[in-house]
Amino acid sequence: HLFNPAGVDQYVQFFNVSGGATVGTDVPYMSLGIPTLGGAVVFLSDVGVSFATGIQIAATTTAAGNTAAASAMRTNIWYA
């Protein structure tokens, strides 16, 4: 579950990298737009999404941008 408490749209970027992702330089593996004061429940199929290298997550103001989100996103993310 993802929730955006901010008064502007925000994006959650997922990176398939080891170590820290460089937001704005590294290309997101996946980016999810979360609307103003809205949320999303994302079901990624029965097999999930493969992150072979590692998972890094960032919240930003644009889909592939480097500006930090206006306020902290509330997230619940599971992985196996």
Side-chain angles (χ1 to χ4, degrees), residues 38-49:
V41 174
V42 181
F43 178 71
L44 299 173
S45 82
D46 292 335
V47 295
V49 175

Side-chain angles (χ1 to χ4, degrees), residues 1-5 11-12 14 30 32-44 57 59 72-79:
H1 180 260
L2 306 166
F3 178 70
N4 174 11
Y11 295 81
V12 178
F14 294 82
M30 179 173 56
L32 303 172
I34 310 300
T36 301
L37 300 174
V41 174
V42 181
F43 178 71
L44 299 173
I57 303 170
M73 299 282 293
R74 297 184 189 139
T75 61
N76 294 303
I77 298 172
W78 288 265
Y79 70 95

Side-chain angles (χ1 to χ4, degrees), residues 10-67:
Q10 300 189 124
Y11 295 81
V12 178
Q13 297 179 27
F14 294 82
F15 298 90
N16 185 21
V17 297
S18 62
T22 303
V23 179
T25 300
D26 290 333
V27 177
Y29 187 66
M30 179 173 56
S31 185
L32 303 172
I34 310 300
T36 301
L37 300 174
V41 174
V42 181
F43 178 71
L44 299 173
S45 82
D46 292 335
V47 295
V49 175
S50 177
F51 287 82
T53 307
I55 302 173
Q56 298 293 319
I57 303 170
T60 59
T61 58
T62 60
N66 63 354
T67 303

